[in-house]
Amino acid sequence: MRKRLTLACLAVATALSGCGTTPAYRPPVVPAPPAFKEAGPWTLAAPALPADGRWWTIFADPVLDGLERKVASDNPTLQGALGRYEAARAYVRQAGAGLLPSIGVRADVTQNRQSDNRPLRGSNQPDVYAADTLSAGIGWEPDLWGGLHARVAAGRAEAQASGDDLAAIRLALETELAQRYVELRGLDAQAQMLGDTVNAYAQADALIRRRFAGGIASGIDVARAGALLADARAQLADIAASRALVEHAIASLVGQPASAFSLAPAAGQPAIPAVPSVLPSTLLQRRPDVAAAERRMFAANQGIGVARAAFFPSITLGGSGGVQNTALAGLVAAPNTLWSIGPSAILSIFDGGRRKAELAAARARWTEATADYRGHVLTAFQQVEDGLAQLHHFGDEADAQADAVRLAGDAEHLALNRYEKGVVTYLDVATAQASALQARRKALDLQTRRLDACIRLIGATGGGWQGA
């Protein structure tokens, strides 16, 4: 009779296993336009970024390539994220073990003394006796209400979200390094331009001093020429200070001490890469931060199933058996066998509202996760639109600034020629030189800002637009 009851319980448990209490997963729908509004006819032909994720190769800079590889291998922030991802994967395996039966063995070899006044003790029982036991047991908790499966699914989703976090951190570090690198090269370009300016101003200052010695120029002209030269030297020193800070930041990103890291100055700045004429909004589906938010939303949905399953009884099927004797000799013998088999069930009747509170908390986490997901999607759209808008308007600004540089240079040469001929005072020359220097510096800074906007756009689209 007991055997039939056990078999019946096993059949019922198997039939009911997997009957879940988790609500259907219905993520919120965020309206997505087919394309971004800031994309327009100003964009260039669409290039194909590398499919292996090495998006920075579009800048064709071998120094940047080497630095980006060091980020993947030596950056401590990325290594920490990798550790969290491995821990999340281990938790999935731990949670999945709960779906399988547990099997264990036990051995006891003890000497025992019983009390003289033990209740119901027989007069012929010894005071000291041995108890040697060898036993094995098996237990399994069938997932009748889907709580264990929901816990495993939630853990798997959290592990996937952790993997997406790892990808998001990697992308953020890669883009930050590229931003710092183009900033460094922009400062190099400005330093080179200011160095040439200092040389030109020094020649002009020498000329003014000779003219002053000959009684042609005034002391005011000498002071103005000297002031321009000193200001250019001060700007050059300021660029050197800014470059040192950027170089130190790059050292930390690649996992090296700032004291032992240096990058040689380079002439010129990277070229502005081409941007596709159309960027579909579906590119945001591969953004790792959006993917992580979606996986955490799924995990929160599974958490509701875990909380609901706690309202149902917990049933365990198990059995144990072994041998026991008062001595090791003859331990394994038929008369010494012992066994136990049968189901057990536990149902909490009153817990002071704990399970209801846990269910309410699970639903609140779902609400939080859905709002967080929508926030990530909206932020992603905003960042892409920001990048497209900046590239658009910076391109127009660059064209206008190129004209300003050309015209300011013409004014500088004309003023200097007219001054040498005695037509104008040196005030006109100083004014023209200051305007030309400001225009050149602004043009170089604008090139750096355009490169920065392009890198931000690549990051906002999840690592580029290959396949767009």
Side-chain angles (χ1 to χ4, degrees):
M1 178 66 182
R2 180 181 295 273
K3 183 176 181 181
R4 290 196 299 270
L5 178 61
T6 301
L7 293 176
C9 291
L10 282 170
V12 173
T14 304
L16 292 177
S17 180
C19 295
T21 57
T22 305
Y25 179 57
R26 296 185 178 90
V29 177
V30 181
F36 296 97
K37 70 175 183 179
E38 294 292 347
W42 55 269
T43 53
L44 304 176
L49 288 179
D52 58 2
R54 297 171 64 247
W55 55 265
W56 55 85
T57 56
I58 62 175
F59 295 107
D61 192 313
V63 178
L64 178 60
D65 292 346
L67 293 173
E68 292 287 2
R69 287 193 295 269
K70 289 182 179 180
V71 167
S73 61
D74 299 336
N75 184 273
T77 302
L78 188 59
Q79 296 302 315
L82 179 60
R84 289 190 292 272
Y85 173 56
E86 294 296 338
R89 293 180 61 188
Y91 174 75
V92 174
R93 295 192 296 270
Q94 176 186 348
L99 298 174
L100 303 175
S102 60
I103 302 174
V105 296
R106 178 175 177 176
D108 295 302
V109 180
T110 63
Q111 290 289 325
N112 309 276
R113 187 193 186 284
Q114 60 179 331
S115 170
D116 293 341
N117 298 316
R118 173 188 170 188
L120 303 180
R121 175 181 175 178
S123 58
N124 60 342
Q125 292 181 352
D127 295 333
V128 179
Y129 65 94
D132 301 329
T133 306
L134 179 62
S135 62
I138 181 172
W140 176 51
E141 181 181 352
D143 191 18
L144 303 181
W145 324 116
L148 294 178
H149 281 85
R151 192 182 303 276
V152 172
R156 185 178 298 112
E158 287 289 351
Q160 293 169 344
S162 182
D164 293 326
D165 289 340
L166 176 63
I169 291 174
R170 182 193 299 273
L171 179 60
L173 291 172
E174 290 171 350
T175 55
E176 183 179 357
L177 174 61
Q179 288 173 296
R180 299 290 77 77
Y181 182 78
V182 299
E183 182 181 0
L184 186 82
R185 293 313 181 204
L187 292 172
D188 286 344
Q190 293 208 32
Q192 183 179 13
M193 184 269 296
L194 283 169
D196 296 339
T197 301
V198 167
N199 293 333
Y201 284 4
Q203 294 175 6
D205 181 67
L207 173 64
I208 298 303
R209 292 182 183 277
R210 288 194 300 268
R211 291 171 66 91
F212 176 73
I216 302 176
S218 66
I220 296 178
D221 293 343
V222 173
R224 285 171 176 160
L228 281 175
L229 176 59
D231 182 67
R233 287 172 175 168
Q235 292 184 51
L236 185 59
D238 184 71
I239 290 295
S242 299
R243 188 189 190 280
L245 297 182
V246 175
E247 188 178 65
H248 299 164
I250 293 176
S252 296
L253 285 170
V254 298
Q256 295 188 22
S259 303
F261 179 83
S262 64
L263 286 173
Q269 294 176 272
I272 304 293
V275 180
S277 58
V278 176
L279 280 179
S281 59
T282 53
L283 285 174
L284 299 185
Q285 294 177 354
R286 65 182 179 206
R287 274 186 54 139
D289 60 330
V290 175
E294 188 277 330
R295 287 292 81 196
R296 290 195 168 93
M297 182 171 56
F298 179 82
N301 182 76
Q302 297 297 316
I304 296 176
V306 174
R308 283 180 173 178
F311 286 88
F312 298 91
S314 174
I315 298 177
T316 302
L317 306 178
S320 62
V323 291
Q324 187 177 52
N325 193 19
T326 57
L328 290 175
L331 176 62
V332 182
N336 298 332
T337 58
L338 54 88
W339 57 269
S340 174
I341 186 172
S344 64
I346 301 176
L347 175 63
S348 178
I349 303 301
F350 176 76
D351 59 4
R354 177 181 58 84
R355 288 172 295 173
K356 289 184 178 180
E358 291 176 350
L359 179 58
R363 287 171 173 163
R365 285 190 291 270
W366 161 257
T367 301
E368 178 187 6
T370 54
D372 184 64
Y373 171 74
R374 292 183 65 252
H376 274 82
V377 172
L378 294 176
T379 300
F381 279 115
Q382 176 190 342
Q383 290 176 348
V384 174
E385 293 286 4
D386 288 347
L388 290 172
Q390 284 186 319
L391 284 176
H392 181 185
H393 299 298
F394 284 170
D396 295 340
E397 185 180 354
D399 294 337
Q401 190 61 35
D403 292 337
V405 171
R406 178 179 54 82
L407 294 173
D410 293 343
E412 181 182 16
H413 292 305
L414 288 173
L416 186 58
N417 290 336
R418 290 169 65 84
Y419 173 75
E420 292 176 349
K421 296 176 181 178
V423 179
V424 297
T425 66
Y426 196 75
L427 176 62
D428 296 316
V429 177
T431 302
Q433 287 178 329
S435 298
L437 178 59
Q438 181 181 8
R440 295 189 189 103
R441 288 202 63 179
K442 188 174 181 180
L444 292 175
D445 181 67
L446 184 58
Q447 174 75 359
T448 301
R449 293 168 66 191
R450 293 179 69 191
L451 287 167
D452 182 83
C454 181
I455 294 170
R456 290 180 183 274
L457 178 60
I458 292 174
T461 53
W465 39 79
Q466 62 268 26

